């Protein structure tokens, strides 16, 4: 059994325990703010965060702005992406008084944990991380020191608040494993300070983009939550289908059609095959029309809530979240100094 299958097998029992004992858990999860949040984020992670918040699990959400520069030179308009993500969180129902929303670069004590943590891993281990290898290859550039060490930095993201539950996508599982290893090694060397965090992975199939590939801003196949209805219609209109008239759900041979069907299906809460049967011989124009209307109807309340908020609201949420995260990070760093005998 590979580690994803093994982790997935533990999920039913973990979900049951979270529902029964939400007070045993502290969640740390987050995003690399490289673009606008899209429907894939909504169904993949944001909705689940809102649900866990509702169960009463204390939650920290990091906007990992330092992760933006792991594989590129410049941070771009990182502040727009950070503010936009905060607005989407609020519109989706995250409550900033219950959930701490914060940014990497605002929490010095979190970043300082990187130094002792780096001493607990070897260069060979860093080079073995499969996600780092894949990201380095995809970036097409020389491996930066920050990309090589970002899983250790991410361990600091998780452990600064003693997070013990980390909702992540499959691609981030090696990083949760690294955080467990680092916590264990620190505790063995200096005494028990950190929990060994568990990954929480979703069994929901990933929502494909409009071309059937993984939904990603960089592929231009995503529907951003913050798009207008017209922008949504235009994005769907641009999607490439094929010349076969009758609509069928066939992700392998008809990726474009399947991407549209999957999108319409997920927002309508039904199976893609059912949408395909409904459209049938009406063809891809009808499918696009149906998909556009379904997405716009689904996102209308989200977008209305989002439109009632401003950048100043996002800034206020981050001020409060960063203040809370700083207090937690400083308390943990004090414990770390104590454990390491570095109190002066
Ligand atoms: N690497 C994660 C991503 O790309 C974002 C992230 C940063 C994160 N720090 C984290 C996720 C800590 C979980 C826990 O999506």
């Amino acid at each position: 059994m590979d580690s994803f299958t093994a982790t997935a097998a533990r999920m039913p029992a973990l979900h049951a325990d979270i529902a029964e004992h939400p007070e045993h858990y502290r969640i740390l999860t987050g995003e690399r703010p490289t673009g606008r949040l899209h429907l894939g984020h909504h169904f993949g992670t944001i909705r689940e965060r809102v649900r866990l918040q509702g169960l009463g699990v204390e939650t920290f959400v990091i906007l990992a702005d330092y992760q933006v520069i792991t594989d590129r030179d410049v941070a771009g308009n990182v502040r727009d992406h950070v503010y936009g993500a905060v607005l989407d969180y609020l519109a989706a129902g995250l409550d900033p008084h219950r959930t701490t929303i914060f940014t990497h670069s605002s929490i010095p004590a979190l970043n300082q944990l990187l130094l002792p943590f780096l001493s607990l891993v070897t260069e060979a281990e860093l080079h073995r991380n499969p996600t780092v290898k894949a990201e380095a290859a995809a970036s097409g550039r020389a491996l930066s020191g920050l990309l090589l060490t970002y899983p250790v930095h991410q361990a600091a993201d998780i452990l600064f608040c003693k997070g013990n539950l980390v909702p992540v996508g499959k691609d981030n599982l090696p990083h949760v494993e690294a955080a467990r290893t680092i916590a264990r090694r620190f505790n063995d060397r200096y005494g028990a300070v950190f929990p060994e965090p568990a990954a929480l992975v979703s069994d929901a199939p990933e929502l494909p983009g409009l071309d059937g590939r993984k939904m990603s801003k960089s592929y231009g196949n995503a529907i951003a939550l913050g798009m207008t209805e017209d922008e949504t219609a235009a994005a769907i209109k641009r999607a490439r289908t094929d010349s076969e008239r009758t609509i069928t759900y066939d992700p392998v041979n008809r990726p474009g059609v399947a991407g549209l069907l999957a999108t319409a299906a997920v927002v309508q809460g039904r199976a893609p095959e059912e949408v395909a049967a409904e459209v049938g011989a009406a063809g891809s124009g009808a499918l696009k029309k149906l998909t556009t209307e379904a997405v716009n109807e689904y996102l209308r309340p989200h977008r209305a809530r989002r439109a009632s908020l401003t950048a100043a609201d996002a800034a206020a949420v981050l001020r409060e979240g960063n203040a809370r995260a700083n207090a937690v990070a400083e308390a943990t760093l004090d414990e770390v100094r104590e454990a390491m005998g570095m109190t002066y």
Side-chain angles (χ1 to χ4, degrees), residues 259-278:
L260 289 167
L261 287 168
T263 302
V266 76
V267 297
Q268 294 187 329
R270 54 187 183 147
E273 290 84 354
E274 201 183 319
V275 182
E278 184 182 310

Side-chain angles (χ1 to χ4, degrees), residues 28-32 62 64 67 150 154 157-158 166 168 172:
L28 181 292
T29 186
E31 240 85 57
R32 182 189 305 227
I62 185 167
Q67 273 192 16
Y150 98 84
Q154 189 158 322
D157 299 345
I158 297 167
V166 188
V168 280
N172 267 251

Side-chain angles (χ1 to χ4, degrees), residues 34-50:
T34 52
R36 296 204 279 176
L37 295 183
H38 53 61
L39 271 182
H41 294 113
H42 176 81
F43 287 103
T45 57
I46 298 175
R47 211 169 47 154
E48 175 71 352
R49 290 177 198 164
V50 175

Side-chain angles (χ1 to χ4, degrees), residues 17-26 52 55-58:
D17 195 58
I18 296 166
E20 200 172 331
H21 294 293
E23 74 283 3
H24 291 177
Y25 294 93
R26 182 177 266 188
L52 291 162
L55 291 177
V57 187
E58 188 176 7

Side-chain angles (χ1 to χ4, degrees), residues 4-89:
F4 176 70
T5 314
T7 305
R10 286 194 293 272
M11 290 306 109
L14 185 56
H15 277 293
D17 195 58
I18 296 166
E20 200 172 331
H21 294 293
E23 74 283 3
H24 291 177
Y25 294 93
R26 182 177 266 188
I27 289 178
L28 181 292
T29 186
E31 240 85 57
R32 182 189 305 227
T34 52
R36 296 204 279 176
L37 295 183
H38 53 61
L39 271 182
H41 294 113
H42 176 81
F43 287 103
T45 57
I46 298 175
R47 211 169 47 154
E48 175 71 352
R49 290 177 198 164
V50 175
R51 189 185 73 82
L52 291 162
Q53 171 189 270
L55 291 177
V57 187
E58 188 176 7
T59 302
F60 287 71
V61 178
I62 185 167
L63 286 158
D65 50 1
Y66 279 144
Q67 273 192 16
V68 174
I69 48 168
T70 50
D71 60 358
R72 63 197 83 192
D73 285 337
V74 289
N77 34 358
V78 69
R79 189 171 43 201
D80 289 345
H81 300 324
V82 166
Y83 283 177
V86 172
L87 297 185
D88 279 320
Y89 294 162

